Structure formats: structure tokens, C-alpha cells
């Protein structure tokens, strides 16, 4: 408070403020209340500040401060001190964040303002201003006298004399600036040049002292060289033309009416009516310095025009510069007489720590036509305070504030800290500084803005009526009306469209049509290329070695496509089937059991095995043999030897396996292809064992194995004897491990369809079999170091077609058919029905599943000039065009989680810029199509 008190020079009652607005006046008023105990009330009464009460109609004009609801509350009760303290707090702290031009007043040439101001939108008050140049004391004194009946009439030629100015609010100024900028864009493209000049020297602050003259019922403005920079004062001299006697100044800001109401000075006699009571305020003068620069170019034109302004209150001597510039303006139509200040909307956003996802999306929205105009305009009146789904306007206000900062001509980046805080209040997942998905952010933000700005104050309950054979047009219109009855905001106006969604029951052909709204299209990326995948095929009959087989499948295909391709490649017999599993650390890690799963869920570095199984015994429990061997940690240590798994597990059906001996025999059979060729001449059984396939020969295979493994004396007479020395079998059931005895029946657990058997190999067996054959397991795709895979390309239209394609619903989201009264896997078809003005297209690059998060780097070939949706809309008689142009792209570079976002944005007229956090730089249109494109922003063209 002491800091604030110091601002008030109460003895002189010169209240020096830098921002003069309703909120500032409230602030002053608050201060007045706060300090009343110290000052005699005769010096500072309440009346001076009570002008709100008598002028509530103008509150929309006063709406410079976004907190207009509080302002009107103040108007209603002038002594609500709770309100004032909150205003005080906010007003003071908002300055900490960033520069805010919205509470400032701007003085601009009337003509400049009127060129872009919507006719009849603003009501101005006209003052005749007599200027007196003090000369020696270096002070300009301006006497503002309100013109009688000065409500603005539209047919007069006001403002064209060049001696007329307008006082406008910061918001109005910014809107005008943007509109001038937009129209300059056209001009610049035509002329083929692009000049960015320093606009900042064109805005200069002018400290003026304001007082009210009781004698003349007028405002007295003093501009002193003491208060101002020399350059500012000189320019002020130029503007207010000290030798001239009369100027016209229109006040569109509504501020001066606060001093003069009904032509009476609204001040108590004993207070500010006294001489010497002044308020210092800062006025931003804009649009004057250029008048010098254009003069030479258009001199001929101006001389021609000059004569027509000889009449009226204009004094030509001493102020001809201005007259010339304005008259030249009048000729050139486009406003070229005013300074070219470069393109607006080129301010970057600071990265607050992984906030590039947010910055990228904000910049896209901040350059969305109509949305910008909306948020630069008087949107405060649309804030929905009651909506519980929103933030009572806080998010919308923070966004609007951010947007206006982005459109204020400055070259410093904006720190979106307050906005981020408000966003986190609404959607807590965005608090903190983690990387997020820009599309997810966008969707939350649009939702939040919609709720904050929803014009519907209480949402009616509407029962959905059945289509009952009515025309699509009628039903769709009804859906849309119902939607608008509950949801009506700028976001709906601009961004929402309507799908036609048709469900057909596969059993009874019952058809159901709905027309639901959408805010963006989320398109899948269909693949045009194939994916090469290598799997190891393993027979379960002991006939073949493990064989790697390479197949190609559509990259976005399903697992059934993979199995089909494999079946052909390995000549699968009709009585066989494939069981595909992923092997991890010599175990079966998972079985690929869902044929409709995408192959994208299989990573290139995975190791897959396909077991050939007989269809016949598919209901028998399965035995999975895992091989383990003794591995001594260190030769010299007498530590307990470790058992370590190796090789690809074997699989067999439990059919005809009753005892440990059966299991043993089966295992040997599966192993037989791996038997090393014996260099022992005595043994010629090996070859026979491998090549024959009759059951009778299996014994032959077994016997030599046994005989070799033994010491040689008792050759293979008893199976029990030999088994103990070659392999040992253990049944694993949870944590328990039971040795399987050869003569005993298998201890099969009840209800088990999967037996895990660990087979421990003896040293001699490891020598006997070629375990390398079992252990070399290729990856699905070997990393290719020599060449990058060719980039695949898919057109945006193909993505859209994939999205709209008729598909059966997944088993997890069955449709309850109202006709059969049963859940059905209905066929679903989407069509576009109503297209929004702003079409946001999200490319589904990220896939999430139980196991894997994946990003597709597919290059999507998207149209820039003409995205034609005519053939994709089911509504035929639309009054709107189905043609769109691209104006913004949110890009994601790099992999999942660690990537970076930026944006490409068309500033109008095909001038593209890259917005990379705080860095903004031009980019050629040829370079904007990349595989990083993630969210595309299109606008409709007429
Ligand atoms: Zn049905």
C-alpha cells in the first residue's frame, strides 16, 4: 500500500497514472476509499469518481478491462469495498506478467481508424479542440469542447479533412492494426515486395495533463515538454499544430465522457473544479510519423488534392504535411499512406519447459481467422459465468489475453505463464512440465473455451428421437438444432461439424443413423507399402530344423495377414495350424492370439516363432519344453552351478503322452533334426533317424543316442537307465519344480492346458546336438545400417477414405441392436455431413497398445490450396463450399516422448512462417510438407 500511496500526490491532486481506464479509475477509487481516513473528505470526495452510475449504457465501450462483469457490479454498488480490493490486487499484479496494451488510450488519425472500423459499431463523442501554443514555456494547451449534438452521423465526410483524430482504446487500436495489416497483405502480394519496418517508433507515449475548466465546460489538456521526451513533444507539436486554432477529436473510447456528462462538469464545486487540479495520463499517439515518409512519393497527387481542403476549420499553414498525407490516402484506397510496419502476429512464445506442444497449438489457434478477431474484440460479454463445466471464464480470458499479446506489435516473445496456470486449473494433467500431445492439448483447450463461452446458460434436456424413416436432412437438422440448444459458442460456430454415422445389424439388417457433432477429424494413416517380417518356423514333428522365413505384409495389416503369408511361405498343410509366439529370454513371452490385432504391435526387434501344430489335437493340453544347461559361474569357485535357459522352446501336444518315458521320447524326437553328424564309423543310424519319418524308426534314433551317452557297456536295454544320464525333466508349476519320473504317469495339474517342462541337459548331450541351430533366432527385421528405408507416402484423401470406410465394430464395442435386442458386431460407416468453417485434421501418428507405444513417420501428402471434400460429404445440397485451404500445421519431430513441436503458419497470402517457441522465421511454402505434420488446420474458401 505504501507503494500505491506514493503514486498519489494528494496534496496537489495530480494523480499520475500510466494506464487510464475503467479499471484504473476503479483502482483510484479503491485507493480513495483506502486513504479516506487520512485525508479530509472535503479534498477528495466520492462524487468525482461516481460517473459510472449515470452512464451504465456505455459499459460495453468501457470494456477495456476484461473484468467487465465486476465493473458493472461496481456501477451497481459503488461502495462494495470487497470488489475494489480484488480489482486492486489484479490490476497491480497483471503488470508483472507482460506488457498489456489494453488499458491504454490511443490517439490516431481519424481516417486511419475509420478505414477499418465497422460502420456504426462505435459511438463517438466529438470535441472541437482549440490549441494554444504557449511558446516559451514549451507547453501546448488544448481546450476540448464538446460539440453540440455530436452523435456521429454516417453520411458526413468527417475525418477526411486531415484535422480530425480519434481517441480509441487499446483493443480497438489492435483490431484496427490487424485489419490494416490484413489489407496490406493483399497489397504487398500484388506488388511483390515484402517490407518489414520498425513499427515501434510509430507509437509514442505522450504524457498529458488533464483538467476540467469550469468556466468553459471543457476539458483542458496540457502537453508539456517537461513531461515528455523531446522527440515526443516535437511530434506532439506537429500533430496538434500549435498555430492552428481548431481540431476535431472524436472520442470512441468512452473515456472523456467520464469527465463531462450532459455538458456539465461533473465535479463538486469545492474539489476538482478548482484551478490546477489535474490528472496525468499517458496517451499513445499512433500513425503520425509516417505522414513525413509518404509525402515525397505521393507529392504530385497531394498537390492535386490539397486545394479541396481549403475550406472549413482547417488551417493550411503550419500543418500542410498532414493534410497532404491524408489526401493521398484518400486516393490510394488501401491505406498505403500509413507506415508499413511489417506483418503483425509474428511474436513467438517462450518455452517454459517442455511447453512446445502448447506453443505449437496456440500459435495455430492464434492464427485462425475469425477466432483471432473474436478474441481481439469484445468477447468478454459472452463469458459464461454459470457453466460448471467451464472455468467461469478464466481460461477464455487468459487465452484472449495471450492472443492479444501475440498480436501486439513487439519483437519480444510472450511468456504464456498465466495461461498455462489457468489451463492446469481446468485440466490438471497439464500442470507441471512434462511433454504432452499437442492434439490432446488442443482438444482440451477448445473444449474449455467452448464451455467458458457457451452462450447457453442452462442446457435443456432433450430426448433423442428415432429417425423412423424420416429424411436424412430432417433428422440431421434436428440433431444439429438439439446440439445448438445445449452448445452455442464461437468454437461451435467455427470448428464444429457433423458426422453421419450409420450402423447396420449383421443379423437383421436393422439400420440406425445418427448425426453427431465433431470438433476435428482424427484420421488413421493407411499404409501403401509392405512390411518385411522374419519369423522362425518350427515343426513339432521332429522333421525339420528351425527355419527362418521372411514374408511381406501390409504395414498396417493385421496379424491374420501375417499368419496367412507365413502359411503360404512354409507350405502349411491343411491339417496344420500355426501358433505364433514372441520369444523373450528363451521362454514363450506371449502368444499372438488376436488375429485382428495390428502387426504394428510387433516391433522390428522382436523375435517371433511360429510352431506348426496339428489341428486335430488342438484341444489337448500343450507341453512347452524349455532347455537348460549347467553354467558354472567360475571354474575355480566351488559355487553351486547355475542352470541357464538356452534355445527356442519346443512345443508338443500332450496327446499320447502318459508317462515320463513318453515325454522323453517326444523330446528326443523333436531334437532329432539337431543331432550332430557322427564321425564314428560304427554309427550309421543318425542319417536314417533324420530322414525317415515312420514311427517305427524313432526307436532307432533313440537307441544310438542312449548308447553313446552311456559308458558303452550296456547298450540301451533299459530306457530308465539311459534317461537319467542324458536329460532330466522337471515340471514347473508356479514356484514348484517336480522331477518327472520315467515310469510314472505325468503329474498333470488339473485344468491346465499348458505344461511347462524344464529339460536339463548333460554335458555329453550338449556335445551331441547342434545347439547353435536352436539358439540362432533372428529378429523380425534386422536393423539395416546401410540404407534408410524408403519413406512411404500416402495422400490425405487416402487417410480420409480409410477413416470413412465401412468396418465391423470390434468385439469390445458391440452394438445393442434394437431390433434383435442383442449385442451385435454391427457394420459401421461414417460420412461427413456438415463441415465446419475451420477444419482441424489430426493425423494419428501415435499408436498406444498394451505393449507398445509407436509413432508412424509416414509422409502424408496433404493439399495446401484445395482440399476438396465434395465427394466425401453425404449432404448434397450444402449452402457452403466443400473446398478448404491450409493455413497452419502443428508439427511433431522425433520419437515418442522425446520429440519437439513447432508450427508452420500462413500469415496470409502464402507467407509461411515457422513458429518454433520464441523463434519465428520465414519458411518457403515448398518446405512445409514434411513427415512431421501432425495436426493440419484448414479454412473453408467460398
Ligand atoms: Zn439386429
Amino acid at each position: 500500500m505504501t507503494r500505491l500511496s506514493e503514486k498519489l500526490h494528494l496534496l496537489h491532486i495530480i494523480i499520475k497514472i500510466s494506464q487510464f481506464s475503467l479499471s484504473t479509475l476503479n483502482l483510484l477509487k479503491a485507493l480513495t476509499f483506502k486513504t479516506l481516513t487520512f485525508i479530509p473528505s472535503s479534498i477528495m470526495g466520492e462524487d468525482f469518481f461516481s460517473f459510472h452510475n449515470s452512464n451504465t449504457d456505455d459499459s460495453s465501450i468501457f470494456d477495456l478491462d476484461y473484468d467487465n462483469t465486476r465493473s458493472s457490479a461496481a456501477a451497481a454498488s459503488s461502495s462494495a469495498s470487497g470488489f475494489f480490493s480484488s480489482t486492486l490486487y489484479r490490476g497491480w499484479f497483471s503488470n508483472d506478467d507482460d506488457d498489456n496494451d489494453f488499458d491504454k488510450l490511443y490517439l490516431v488519425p481519424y481516417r486511419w481508424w475509420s478505414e477499418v472500423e465497422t460502420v456504426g459499431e462505435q459511438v463517438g463523442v466529438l470535441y472541437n479542440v482549440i490549441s494554444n501554443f504557449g511558446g516559451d514555456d514549451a507547453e501546448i494547451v488544448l481546450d476540448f469542447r464538446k460539440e453540440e449534438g455530436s452523435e456521429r452521423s454516417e453520411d458526413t465526410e468527417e475525418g477526411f479533412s486531415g484535422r480530425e483524430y480519434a481517441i480509441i482504446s487499446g483493443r480497438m487500436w489492435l483490431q484496427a492494426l490487424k485489419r490494416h495489416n490484413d489489407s496490406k497483405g493483399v497489397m504487398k502480394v500484388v506488388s511483390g515486395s515484402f517490407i518489414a519496418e520498425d513499427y515501434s517508433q510509430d507509437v509514442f507515449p505522450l504524457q498529458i495533463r488533464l483538467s476540467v475548466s469550469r468556466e468553459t465546460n471543457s476539458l483542458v489538456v496540457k502537453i508539456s515538454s517537461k513531461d515528455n521526451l523531446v522527440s515526443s513533444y516535437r511530434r506532439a507539436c506537429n500533430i496538434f499544430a500549435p498555430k492552428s486554432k481548431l481540431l476535431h477529436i472524436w472520442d470512441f473510447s468512452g473515456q472523456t465522457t467520464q469527465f463531462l456528462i450532459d455538458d456539465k462538469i461533473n465535479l463538486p464545486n469545492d474539489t476538482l473544479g478548482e484551478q490546477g487540479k489535474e490528472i496525468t495520463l499517458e496517451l499513445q499517439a499512433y500513425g503520425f510519423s509516417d505522414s513525413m515518409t509518404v509525402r515525397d512519393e505521393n507529392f504530385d497527387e497531394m498537390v492535386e488534392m490539397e486545394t479541396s481542403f481549403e475550406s472549413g476549420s482547417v488551417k493550411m499553414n503550419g500543418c500542410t504535411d498532414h493534410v497532404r498525407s491524408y489526401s493521398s490516402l484518400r486516393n490510394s484506397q488501401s491505406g498505403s499512406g500509413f507506415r508499413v510496419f511489417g506483418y503483425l502476429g509474428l511474436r513467438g512464445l517462450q518455452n517454459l519447459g517442455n511447453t512446445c506442444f502448447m506453443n505449437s497449438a496456440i500459435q495455430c489457434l492464434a492464427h485462425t481467422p475469425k477466432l483471432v478477431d473474436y478474441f481481439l474484440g469484445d468477447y468478454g460479454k459472452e463469458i459464461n459465468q454459470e457453466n460448471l463445466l467451464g472455468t467461469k471464464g478464466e481460461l477464455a480470458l487468459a487465452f484472449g489475453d495471450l492472443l492479444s499479446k501475440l498480436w501486439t506489435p513487439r519483437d519480444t516473445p510472450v511468456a504464456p505463464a498465466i495461461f498455462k496456470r489457468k489451463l492446469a486449473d481446468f485440466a490438471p494433467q497439464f500442470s507441471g512440465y512434462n511433454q504432452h500431445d499437442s492434439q490432446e492439448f488442443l482438444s482440451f483447450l477448445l473444449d474449455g473455451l467452448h464451455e467458458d463461452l457457451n452462450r447457453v446458460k442452462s442446457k435443456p434436456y432433450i430426448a433423442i428421437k428415432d429417425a423412423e424413416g424420416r429424411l436424412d436432412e430432417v433428422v440431421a437438422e434436428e440433431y444439429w438444432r438439439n446440439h445448438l440448444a445445449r452448445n452455442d459458442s464461437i468454437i461451435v460456430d467455427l470448428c464444429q461439424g457433423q458426422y453421419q454415422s450409420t450402423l447396420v445389424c449383421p443379423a437383421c439388417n436393422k439400420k440406425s443413423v445418427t448425426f453427431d457433432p465433431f470438433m476435428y477429424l482424427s484420421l488413421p494413416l493407411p499404409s501403401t507399402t509392405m512390411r518385411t517380417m522374419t519369423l522362425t518356423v518350427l515343426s513339432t514333428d521332429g522333421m525339420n530344423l528351425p527355419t527362418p522365413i521372411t514374408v511381406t505384409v501390409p504395414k498396417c495389416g493385421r496379424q491374420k495377414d501375417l499368419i496367412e503369408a507365413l502359411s503360404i511361405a512354409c507350405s502349411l498343410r491343411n491339417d496344420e495350424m500355426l501358433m505364433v509366439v514372441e520369444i523373450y529370454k528363451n521362454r514363450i513371452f506371449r502368444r499372438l492370439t488376436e488375429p485382428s490385432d495390428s502387426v504394428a504391435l510387433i516391433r522390428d526387434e522382436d523375435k517371433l516363432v511360429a510352431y506348426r501344430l496339428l489341428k486335430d489335437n488342438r484341444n489337448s493340453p500343450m507341453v512347452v519344453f524349455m532347455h537348460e544347461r549347467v553354467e558354472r559361474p567360475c571354474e575355480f569357485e566351488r559355487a553351486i552351478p547355475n542352470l541357464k535357459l538356452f534355445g527356442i522352446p519346443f512345443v508338443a501336444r500332450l496327446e499320447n503322452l502318459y508317462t515320463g518315458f513318453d515325454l522323453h521320447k517326444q523330446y528326443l524326437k523333436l531334437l532329432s533334426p539337431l543331432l550332430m553328424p557322427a564321425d564314428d564309423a560304427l554309427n550309421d543310424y543318425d542319417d536314417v533317424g533324420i530322414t525317415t519319418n515312420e514311427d517305427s524308426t524313432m526307436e532307432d534314433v533313440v537307441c544310438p543316442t542312449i548308447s553313446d551317452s552311456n559308458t558303452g557297456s550296456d547298450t540301451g536295454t533299459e530306457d530308465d537307465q539311459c534317461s537319467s544320464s542324458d536329460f532330466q525333466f522337471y515340471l514347473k508349476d508356479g514356484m514348484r519344480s517336480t522331477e518327472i519320473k520315467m515310469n510314472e504317469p505325468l503329474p498333470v495339474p488339473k485344468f491346465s492346458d499348458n505344461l511347462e517342462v524344464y529339460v536339463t541337459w548333460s554335458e555329453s548331450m550338449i556335445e551331441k546336438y547342434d545347439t547353435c541351430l536352436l539358439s540362432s533366432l533372428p529378429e523380425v527385421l534386422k536393423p539395416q545400417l546401410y540404407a534408410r528405408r524408403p519413406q512411404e507416402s500416402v495422400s490425405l484423401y487416402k487417410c480420409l477414405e480409410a477413416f470413412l470406410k465401412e468396418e465391423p465394430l470390434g468385439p469390445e464395442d458391440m452394438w445393442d441392436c434394437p431390433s434383435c435386442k442383442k449385442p451385435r458386431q454391427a457394420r459401421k460407416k461414417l460420412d461427413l455431413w456438415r463441415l465446419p468453417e475451420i477444419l482441424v485434421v489430426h493425423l494419428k501418428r501415435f499408436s498406444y497398445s498394451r505393449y507398445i507405444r509407436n509413432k508412424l513417420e509416414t509422409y502424408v501428402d496433404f493439399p495446401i490450396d484445395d482440399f476438396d471434400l465434395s465427394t466425401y460429404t453425404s449432404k448434397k445440397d450444402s449452402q457452403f463450399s466443400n473446398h478448404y485451404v491450409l493455413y497452419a500445421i502443428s508439427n511433431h519431430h522425433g520419437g515418442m516422448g522425446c520429440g519437439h513441436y513447432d508450427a508452420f503458419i500462413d500469415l496470409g497470402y502464402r507467407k509461411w512462417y515457422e513458429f518454433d517457441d520464441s523463434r519465428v522465421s520465414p519458411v518457403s511454402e515448398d518446405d512445409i510438407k514434411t513427415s512431421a505434420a501432425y495436426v493440419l488446420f484448414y479454412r473453408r474458401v467460398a
Side-chain angles (χ1 to χ4, degrees):
M1 270 316 290
T2 43
R3 198 171 141 213
L4 295 180
S5 307
E6 280 165 20
K7 295 253 163 190
L8 286 169
H9 304 282
L10 289 167
L11 285 176
H12 309 286
I13 321 190
I14 294 169
I15 303 155
K16 183 166 179 168
I17 50 174
S18 63
Q19 297 186 347
F20 187 69
S21 75
L22 189 62
S23 67
T24 319
L25 287 166
N26 284 332
L27 176 78
L28 289 174
K29 188 169 182 177
L31 288 171
T32 310
F33 284 118
K34 300 263 179 205
T35 49
L36 266 181
T37 46
F38 308 110
I39 324 155
S41 56
S42 59
I43 295 176
M44 180 74 85
E46 192 187 333
D47 289 275
F48 171 73
F49 294 104
S50 65
F51 42 73
H52 299 308
N53 295 335
S54 50
N55 211 356
T56 42
D57 287 347
D58 279 355
S59 61
S60 62
I61 299 172
F62 294 167
D63 195 22
L64 309 167
D65 189 336
Y66 49 68
D67 205 6
N68 76 318
T69 49
R70 287 184 184 172
S71 305
S72 36
S77 70
S78 56
S79 57
S81 57
F83 155 70
F84 289 120
S85 58
S86 71
T87 308
L88 180 69
Y89 175 85
R90 227 173 47 83
W92 212 247
F93 279 82
S94 63
N95 290 337
D96 294 344
D97 178 38
D98 203 342
D99 47 288
N100 191 339
D101 292 279
F102 282 87
D103 294 323
K104 291 179 181 167
L105 288 183
Y106 283 78
L107 179 81
V108 296
Y110 182 92
R111 176 63 204 246
W112 181 89
W113 155 251
S114 67
E115 270 173 353
V116 290
E117 187 245 354
T118 318
V119 174
E121 204 178 77
Q122 309 291 351
V123 179
V125 176
L126 177 63
Y127 292 98
N128 289 321
V129 178
I130 299 161
S131 72
N132 289 299
F133 186 39
D136 292 340
D137 59 352
E139 192 174 60
I140 313 165
V141 180
L142 301 168
D143 190 40
F144 277 60
R145 220 169 285 208
K146 197 170 171 185
E147 175 86 18
E148 282 304 317
S150 68
E151 287 301 289
R152 192 169 152 230
S153 54
E154 280 158 35
D155 47 323
T156 52
E157 289 276 291
E158 307 129 354
F160 301 130
S161 68
R163 296 295 292 148
E164 305 202 11
Y165 306 108
I167 294 173
I168 57 177
S169 69
R171 199 177 281 283
M172 293 168 177
W173 175 73
L174 201 50
Q175 276 182 307
L177 202 57
K178 184 178 178 295
R179 288 181 191 151
H180 272 291
N181 180 68
D182 292 349
S183 63
K184 276 201 192 77
V186 187
M187 197 185 67
K188 281 294 145 196
V189 167
V190 171
S191 66
S193 65
F194 176 63
I195 312 155
E197 281 180 42
D198 184 16
Y199 45 80
S200 58
Q201 56 179 273
D202 216 26
V203 182
F204 61 95
L206 212 55
Q207 292 271 314
I208 62 174
R209 274 176 286 143
L210 208 67
S211 58
V212 182
S213 158
R214 285 179 60 225
E215 292 76 26
T216 56
N217 276 6
S218 62
L219 277 177
V220 178
V221 172
K222 286 181 187 163
I223 304 167
S224 162
S225 63
K226 298 201 297 282
D227 300 335
N228 293 286
L229 290 172
V230 180
S231 59
S232 294
Y233 179 71
R234 285 210 187 115
R235 281 194 271 182
C237 291
N238 271 334
I239 295 166
F240 296 107
K243 286 173 191 164
S244 151
K245 286 285 180 256
L246 191 64
L247 306 162
H248 294 301
I249 296 182
W250 289 83
D251 180 23
F252 293 100
S253 72
Q255 299 283 353
T256 57
T257 53
Q258 298 169 359
F259 295 95
L260 295 164
I261 287 165
D262 300 328
D263 296 324
K264 284 198 287 286
I265 301 161
N266 190 30
L267 296 174
N269 290 342
D270 55 347
T271 57
L272 289 181
E274 293 168 24
Q275 290 296 314
K277 309 297 182 285
E278 295 175 325
I279 290 174
T280 304
L281 107 103
E282 192 174 287
L283 191 68
Q284 317 290 309
Y286 176 79
F288 296 96
S289 61
D290 52 79
S291 54
M292 312 297 179
T293 55
V294 290
R295 183 180 52 189
D296 295 335
E297 302 160 35
N298 300 320
F299 188 73
D300 290 345
E301 232 173 60
M302 283 184 278
V303 172
E304 197 185 306
M305 295 299 294
E306 216 170 16
T307 48
S308 58
F309 294 102
E310 293 280 359
S311 59
S313 62
V314 180
K315 298 282 184 207
M316 296 305 294
N317 49 342
C319 60
T320 47
D321 288 345
H322 306 290
V323 174
R324 279 174 181 174
S325 69
Y326 302 141
S327 57
S328 77
L329 255 181
R330 195 182 187 190
N331 244 15
S332 64
Q333 291 174 1
S334 60
S336 62
F338 290 98
R339 190 180 186 82
V340 178
F341 45 80
Y343 283 77
L344 285 172
L346 284 174
R347 269 186 107 172
L349 280 163
Q350 264 180 42
N351 192 323
L352 305 173
N354 273 331
T355 52
C356 56
F357 74 93
M358 183 174 93
N359 291 352
S360 162
I362 288 173
Q363 290 287 10
C364 291
L365 286 183
H367 293 85
T368 293
K370 294 202 180 167
L371 195 70
V372 196
D373 296 332
Y374 179 82
F375 278 103
L376 292 185
D378 184 18
Y379 69 96
K381 59 175 185 260
E382 294 210 320
I383 298 256
N384 188 332
Q385 297 277 345
E386 290 114 85
N387 193 348
L388 295 174
L389 299 171
T391 64
K392 297 196 184 302
E394 294 205 11
L395 183 67
L397 292 167
F399 182 70
D401 204 40
L402 182 60
L403 223 64
S404 56
K405 279 171 191 161
L406 287 174
W407 280 91
T408 303
R410 291 278 144 76
D411 47 12
T412 49
V414 181
I418 289 180
F419 170 77
K420 188 180 176 294
R421 217 150 55 223
K422 297 293 177 198
L423 176 76
D425 288 347
F426 173 66
Q429 67 266 44
F430 295 110
S431 58
Y433 295 93
N434 292 323
Q435 183 67 282
H436 290 274
D437 185 321
S438 72
Q439 156 68 16
E440 197 191 327
F441 162 75
L442 190 70
S443 129
F444 269 96
L445 177 57
L446 288 177
D447 258 350
L449 292 178
H450 164 67
E451 297 299 353
D452 269 1
L453 298 165
N454 199 344
R455 295 161 193 136
V456 177
K457 298 290 186 259
S458 65
K459 296 185 176 187
Y461 171 76
I462 297 161
I464 298 160
K465 270 190 260 173
D466 201 67
E468 279 169 354
R470 289 179 295 163
L471 281 174
D472 282 347
E473 280 75 11
V474 177
V475 181
E477 202 54 42
E478 186 179 275
Y479 267 89
W480 191 245
R481 266 202 318 276
N482 292 347
H483 178 58
L484 292 185
R486 296 171 56 83
N487 299 281
D488 181 16
S489 71
I490 181 74
I491 305 298
V492 177
D493 296 348
L494 291 180
C495 304
Q496 291 198 350
Q498 209 179 3
Y499 290 129
Q500 177 175 26
S501 164
T502 311
L503 289 171
V504 179
C505 173
C508 69
N509 277 330
K510 162 78 183 170
K511 198 167 108 178
S512 154
V513 184
T514 52
F515 294 87
D516 295 318
F518 67 86
M519 195 137 68
Y520 46 85
L521 301 179
S522 237
L523 305 186
L525 304 185
S527 177
T528 51
T529 57
M530 306 296 278
R531 178 175 178 192
T532 302
M533 301 179 87
T534 302
L535 288 88
T536 302
V537 176
L538 206 62
S539 65
T540 53
D541 57 2
M543 300 299 294
N544 296 298
L545 287 169
T547 321
I549 287 184
T550 300
V551 292
T552 51
V553 290
K555 199 167 181 178
C556 285
R558 311 213 172 254
Q559 289 177 3
K560 64 176 186 234
D561 300 327
L562 172 67
I563 289 171
E564 239 165 67
L566 275 175
S567 307
I568 295 165
C570 73
S571 318
L572 200 73
R573 295 193 313 266
N574 279 338
D575 61 340
E576 285 179 306
M577 56 179 280
L578 288 175
M579 178 179 81
V580 181
V581 303
E582 183 185 340
I583 304 291
Y584 181 68
K585 294 199 167 165
N586 307 99
R587 292 167 200 270
I588 292 179
F589 174 62
R590 66 175 174 123
R591 284 174 64 176
L592 281 64
T593 50
E594 186 46 70
S596 63
D597 272 358
S598 164
V599 293
L601 299 178
I602 300 168
R603 295 172 300 185
D604 283 347
E605 59 270 29
D606 290 345
K607 294 175 174 178
L608 300 189
V609 170
Y611 293 98
R612 298 174 73 145
L613 297 170
L614 284 174
K615 279 180 187 169
D616 283 349
N617 51 12
R618 71 171 75 183
N619 293 323
S620 312
M622 199 157 55
V623 188
V624 178
F625 293 102
M626 276 159 287
H627 330 288
E628 55 183 5
R629 57 192 286 183
V630 175
E631 190 183 66
R632 294 180 195 283
C634 182
E635 265 186 63
F636 305 103
E637 245 178 79
R638 307 197 113 260
I640 304 155
N642 281 328
L643 286 171
K644 193 171 187 266
L645 288 177
F646 71 96
I648 309 165
F650 284 159
V651 165
R653 290 290 185 189
L654 203 53
E655 208 179 33
N656 303 321
L657 300 179
Y658 305 107
T659 63
F661 184 69
D662 293 333
L663 203 69
H664 184 251
K665 223 163 57 172
Q666 177 67 34
Y667 188 65
L668 289 179
K669 182 181 165 187
L670 293 169
L671 266 184
S672 59
L674 303 170
L675 203 60
M676 295 274 234
D679 39 27
D680 191 347
L682 290 171
N683 269 316
D684 52 359
Y685 296 102
D686 298 5
D687 297 331
V688 182
I690 292 165
T691 48
T692 47
N693 59 355
E694 276 115 77
D695 286 342
S696 59
T697 58
M698 282 315 294
E699 294 304 312
D700 300 333
V701 180
V702 174
C703 289
T705 309
I706 296 159
S707 62
D708 278 11
S709 66
N710 284 339
T711 46
S713 54
D714 300 331
T715 50
T717 46
E718 278 183 65
D719 292 312
D720 286 18
Q721 222 177 338
C722 62
S723 67
S724 59
S725 58
D726 54 6
F727 300 106
Q728 281 172 309
F729 296 85
Y730 297 91
L731 186 72
K732 268 255 165 84
D733 183 19
M735 293 302 288
R736 234 174 33 172
S737 182
T738 327
E739 187 175 355
I740 298 168
K741 299 277 184 339
M742 288 302 111
N743 286 327
E744 288 174 19
L746 289 175
V748 182
K750 273 179 189 171
F751 311 115
S752 172
D753 56 355
N754 208 344
L755 246 67
E756 290 199 336
V757 175
Y758 285 66
V759 187
T760 309
W761 289 45
S762 65
E763 286 296 329
S764 56
M765 288 303 102
I766 288 161
E767 282 161 27
K768 195 166 183 65
Y769 292 94
D770 187 354
T771 52
C772 287
L773 290 172
L774 202 58
S775 298
S776 66
L777 185 57
E779 297 181 351
V780 166
L781 187 73
K782 268 224 175 76
Q784 287 166 304
L785 298 168
Y786 46 90
R788 269 192 72 191
R789 270 172 281 160
Q791 196 179 41
E792 57 179 315
S793 164
V794 61
S795 107
L796 186 60
Y797 292 107
K798 285 276 173 289
C799 301
L800 188 61
E801 282 159 21
F803 175 67
L804 300 175
K805 199 178 74 187
E806 181 181 286
E807 274 205 333
L809 293 176
E812 65 283 348
D813 52 3
M814 303 271 262
W815 177 55
D816 287 314
C817 173
S819 183
C820 329
K821 315 270 185 225
K822 276 195 180 123
R824 298 284 188 197
Q825 242 180 307
R827 296 194 305 272
K828 185 180 184 181
K829 169 91 180 85
L830 278 180
D831 284 294
L832 301 177
W833 182 267
R834 183 189 302 268
L835 291 171
E837 184 160 344
I838 299 298
L839 183 66
V840 180
V841 180
H842 165 226
L843 303 173
K844 283 162 105 169
R845 294 197 177 276
F846 299 108
S847 54
Y848 305 87
S849 78
R850 285 157 292 173
Y851 308 107
I852 296 143
R853 289 141 54 91
N854 187 40
K855 186 192 171 189
L856 297 171
E857 292 285 355
T858 312
Y859 173 85
V860 178
D861 186 8
F862 49 85
I864 296 173
D865 296 325
D866 187 12
F867 185 27
D868 181 2
L869 293 168
S870 305
T871 52
Y872 303 98
T873 48
S874 48
K875 189 183 184 184
K876 290 303 162 210
D877 56 339
S878 173
Q879 50 176 323
F880 297 110
S881 132
N882 296 318
H883 296 260
Y884 286 81
V885 289
L886 186 74
Y887 69 89
I889 308 167
S890 173
N891 294 309
H892 180 266
H893 308 272
M896 289 210 60
C898 58
H900 178 66
Y901 287 94
D902 68 4
F904 291 144
I905 290 159
D906 179 8
L907 263 280
Y909 316 101
R910 311 188 79 156
K911 289 280 172 203
W912 287 84
Y913 285 84
E914 183 183 0
F915 287 76
D916 184 1
D917 290 330
S918 52
R919 199 177 56 83
V920 181
S921 50
V923 60
S924 159
E925 193 178 271
D926 302 334
D927 298 331
I928 61 164
K929 279 161 90 165
T930 71
S931 60
Y934 181 47
V935 186
L936 306 170
F937 292 76
Y938 283 95
R939 66 180 165 83
R940 179 157 51 208
V941 285

